[in-house]
Amino acid sequence: MFQPRIPVNPLPTGLVTPLVQPTVTADIASHHTDHATACNHHHAPAPVPTPSSAIRLTPAGLAVVVAGGAGAVLVVGTVLVSMLLAVAVTAASVAVCAVVLRSLLNGQHRRR
């Protein structure tokens, strides 16, 4: 009950082998599937597609990629500049509020 079970890895041949060889094999039985029968003919391996190392672009495709990249740069630049402007306006307004509050507090102390 407290002994861990080792997961098994089913192979395409129908034989199931454990991932790690256990030290005690009394509880773990070898599992074989009945539906996998040995055939007498040889199977050709599946062809592996070879990836192309270069991407070919037409002049129109190249123009679209360049225009998209330029548009992305413009959009990102606009967003960053607007965020910087928002921070600058907020800082200026906080500074003005601080100066006004300081002058109001100094004016109250002088009147008393």
Side-chain angles (χ1 to χ4, degrees), residues 9-83:
N9 182 18
L11 297 176
T13 60
L15 299 176
V16 179
T17 57
L19 294 175
V20 177
Q21 295 296 329
T23 57
V24 178
T25 58
D27 289 341
I28 302 173
S30 173
H31 300 285
H32 295 284
T33 56
D34 293 332
H35 67 277
T37 59
C39 57
N40 294 329
H41 57 281
H42 298 286
H43 297 280
V48 178
T50 56
S52 176
S53 62
I55 297 174
R56 300 193 185 258
L57 288 176
T58 61
L62 185 63
V64 168
V65 169
V66 169
V73 167
L74 289 176
V75 168
V76 169
T78 303
V79 168
L80 290 177
V81 167
S82 63
M83 289 173 65

